[in-house]
Amino acid sequence: MTVRVRAPASTANLGPGFDCAAVALDLWNELELTEGNGDADAGHLGVRAFSLLVSPEGWRFEFASRIPRARGLGSSASVIALGLVAACAVSGRPAEPEELLAAGLELEGHADNLAAALAGGVCLTWSGRVARIADAPPAVPIALVPDGAVSTAAARASLPTQVPHEDATFTAARAALLGAALAARSPELFSAALDDRLHEPHRAAAAPLLARVRADLPEGALGATISGSGPSVIVWARADAVDACASELTDRYPDVDVLPLQASPKGAHAL
């Protein structure tokens, strides 16, 4: 028996949607699982996820990693989703996103990326729940991926334990706008929502591209956000301006990988 599974990258937070909003991206990790005399690496994150539901004994795991690691694009969530969905495929268990989120959350630590990796599309998550509210946001993501890596734990440690009331109010308003923009698929509301004072200012040192891009957005771009903990930055472009935006960004930042992507309506799934 051989099973192949794919799981997408994701970009989380989307500015003010801290720890609760994410979009699945059309960039994939894969797992080929073969029954036989396998010798699974028990310490591998995907194998650990698989073992939450099914014993890995007797299975051979071959992972293909295409999502850049430690760049804020949900690579670990994707690997966990691979293991969980593969376990469902071999056991005949339905791959229900909320159930798998609950199973894998201890490994991932943050629900937003994992929810999008499992359910696909644009997801909001809270208290273990997953709301998949759209196939795609009202803008097209262009990922700017620098060479440097960022530790999620270190990025989270940089956040303050308290924020001024003014900053909380500012971000709450943008978060409400973000939810409305995603539900209504409104580019105008989406553009107005893409700002934050809870986490982005404190992660700016680890994601210096954000300030540079925001200071001079390419024509046709609606805004820019740190992807997850960084250092990658997402430029959100109008659908008719993606090629021009990507070309301009490539010219401006020759040392950065510029990846025009699409949102993926599909989450992790067996092929």
Side-chain angles (χ1 to χ4, degrees):
M1 178 181 185
T2 297
V3 173
R4 290 182 61 214
V5 180
R6 306 172 78 213
S10 54
T11 181
N13 299 324
L14 314 185
F18 181 54
D19 275 1
C20 65
V23 177
L25 302 175
D26 190 19
L27 178 63
W28 301 81
N29 284 338
E30 293 189 1
L31 165 62
E32 183 172 281
L33 186 67
T34 306
E35 190 175 17
N37 296 321
D39 185 15
D41 176 3
H44 190 285
L45 189 59
V47 177
R48 291 168 62 195
F50 183 91
S51 67
L52 294 171
L53 304 178
V54 175
S55 171
E57 185 176 351
W59 292 97
R60 185 173 75 244
F61 295 76
E62 295 185 14
F63 291 91
S65 298
R66 301 184 180 91
I67 302 169
R69 297 178 182 178
R71 299 295 197 279
L73 293 172
S75 61
S76 63
S78 175
V79 172
I80 292 168
L82 287 176
L84 294 171
V85 173
C88 289
V90 302
S91 64
R93 172 176 175 165
E96 296 292 342
E98 284 192 358
E99 293 181 10
L100 296 186
L101 179 68
L105 190 54
E106 184 176 350
L107 290 178
E108 168 57 19
H110 308 294
D112 43 7
N113 286 107
L114 185 54
L118 290 168
V122 184
C123 291
L124 300 180
T125 182
W126 74 103
S127 301
R129 301 292 306 277
V130 178
R132 188 188 179 287
I133 59 176
D135 283 347
V140 179
I142 302 172
L144 277 60
V145 186
D147 284 338
V150 167
S151 160
T152 300
R156 188 161 290 271
S158 71
L159 304 180
T161 57
Q162 295 182 334
V163 297
H165 185 275
E166 180 182 358
D167 290 347
T169 302
F170 177 96
T171 302
R174 270 63 183 182
L177 274 174
L178 178 65
L182 295 172
R185 292 193 50 77
S186 166
E188 291 73 26
L189 290 180
F190 190 68
S191 180
L194 298 181
D195 203 356
D196 164 83
R197 293 184 183 175
L198 290 185
H199 71 103
E200 286 187 338
H202 309 287
R203 290 172 165 168
L209 271 175
L210 182 67
R212 294 163 62 190
V213 172
R214 278 183 173 167
D216 187 16
L217 285 171
E219 186 173 353
L222 298 179
T225 55
I226 296 177
S227 189
S229 297
S232 296
V233 169
I234 302 293
V235 174
W236 299 96
R238 293 185 181 275
D240 60 359
V242 174
D243 291 343
C245 281
S247 178
E248 183 174 339
L249 291 166
T250 299
D251 290 341
R252 282 193 203 175
Y253 307 110
D255 296 331
V256 172
D257 288 336
V258 177
L259 306 178
L261 298 170
Q262 294 288 333
S264 171
K266 295 193 73 171
H269 60 279
L271 298 174

